[in-house]
Amino acid sequence: MWKRFHPAVRMMMVSDDCLVECRIDDSDEDVGGEDQINTPPPPPEFASKVSTPSPKPPSPPTATPTRTPTPTHPVSRDPYGINQHLKVEVSDVLAEPVTPRSIDQVWFYSVVGFESARIWTYRCLSLLLAVPFALLCGVFLAVLACLHVWFVVPCIQLSNTFLPCLRSVCICALNVFVSPFCTSVALCCSQIAISLSNKDWHKMRGEEAV
């Protein structure tokens, strides 16, 4: 049976070979338990002529560049602030009141001389003594760590292990030898009684008065 279409619509005849049978299921069963329907590819007349772009291979992760210390980002050499008391400035040492007052150039060059002497003297001394002192501190710390790991802590642990046994031995010795002796001496001394007569009392008072 032919149907009449609008003249502006171009009618295309499709053969039965191009039709695809689709199964429609209105049941509420789980989709996961059913087999997936393999849909055949579309006919060449309806296939798109644009090539499907191939997936790009994943690019390797780029390493984050490490920030190197620059003059704009100085490295903190005292992160825990153990030497904050050494931050001495000119105003902490030199202070000139309003009157009397020196010449501005004198004050300026005094400040410059103070800062230059402090900085360059410290740099020269650190150049000569920093490395040897650092080596000595490292050796001293290594000796302390070695003694702590291999001598102090083992002695403490061994003492904690054997002290209960020594305590039991000491308690047994006290109960067997010292406690009976002290008890006997206490019983003997408990029978001693000292009594003073009035004559002796007055005699002692007279001697104290003299």
Side-chain angles (χ1 to χ4, degrees), residues 172-207:
C172 292
L174 290 174
N175 292 332
V176 172
F177 299 103
V178 180
S179 180
F181 176 76
C182 294
T183 303
S184 301
V185 173
L187 290 174
C188 294
C189 294
S190 64
Q191 301 299 326
I192 299 174
I194 299 174
S195 60
L196 295 175
S197 60
N198 293 331
K199 184 178 179 180
D200 295 334
W201 177 257
H202 290 298
K203 185 177 179 180
M204 292 176 60
R205 292 289 301 274
E207 292 177 355

Side-chain angles (χ1 to χ4, degrees), residues 85-159:
H85 57 283
L86 296 179
K87 294 177 63 176
V88 181
E89 298 180 356
V90 180
S91 58
D92 298 329
V93 180
L94 301 177
E96 191 176 42
V98 178
T99 54
R101 188 182 183 89
S102 62
I103 304 174
D104 294 340
Q105 286 77 10
V106 173
W107 175 257
F108 174 76
Y109 287 113
S110 299
V111 172
V112 173
F114 176 87
E115 289 292 336
S116 301
R118 179 176 67 90
I119 292 174
W120 285 104
T121 303
Y122 176 79
R123 289 179 178 177
C124 294
L125 291 176
S126 62
L127 179 63
L128 297 175
L129 304 176
V131 176
F133 283 178
L135 292 176
L136 290 177
C137 292
V139 172
F140 183 69
L141 182 60
V143 171
L144 288 180
C146 183
L147 291 177
H148 184 78
V149 170
W150 298 105
F151 181 74
V152 177
V153 173
C155 290
I156 294 174
Q157 293 298 108
L158 291 175
S159 300

Side-chain angles (χ1 to χ4, degrees), residues 16-117:
D16 295 339
D17 297 334
C18 298
L19 298 178
V20 179
E21 181 179 359
C22 298
R23 178 184 177 186
I24 300 175
D25 191 1
D26 296 335
S27 62
D28 297 334
E29 296 179 2
D30 295 335
V31 180
E34 297 179 355
D35 297 336
Q36 295 182 356
I37 302 174
N38 296 326
T39 306
E45 294 83 358
F46 300 99
S48 176
K49 295 182 180 181
V50 180
S51 60
T52 304
S54 59
K56 295 182 179 180
S59 59
T62 57
T64 304
T66 57
R67 173 181 287 182
T68 57
T70 58
T72 56
H73 300 282
V75 179
S76 177
R77 298 183 182 181
D78 190 7
Y80 301 106
I82 61 177
N83 286 324
Q84 291 293 328
H85 57 283
L86 296 179
K87 294 177 63 176
V88 181
E89 298 180 356
V90 180
S91 58
D92 298 329
V93 180
L94 301 177
E96 191 176 42
V98 178
T99 54
R101 188 182 183 89
S102 62
I103 304 174
D104 294 340
Q105 286 77 10
V106 173
W107 175 257
F108 174 76
Y109 287 113
S110 299
V111 172
V112 173
F114 176 87
E115 289 292 336
S116 301

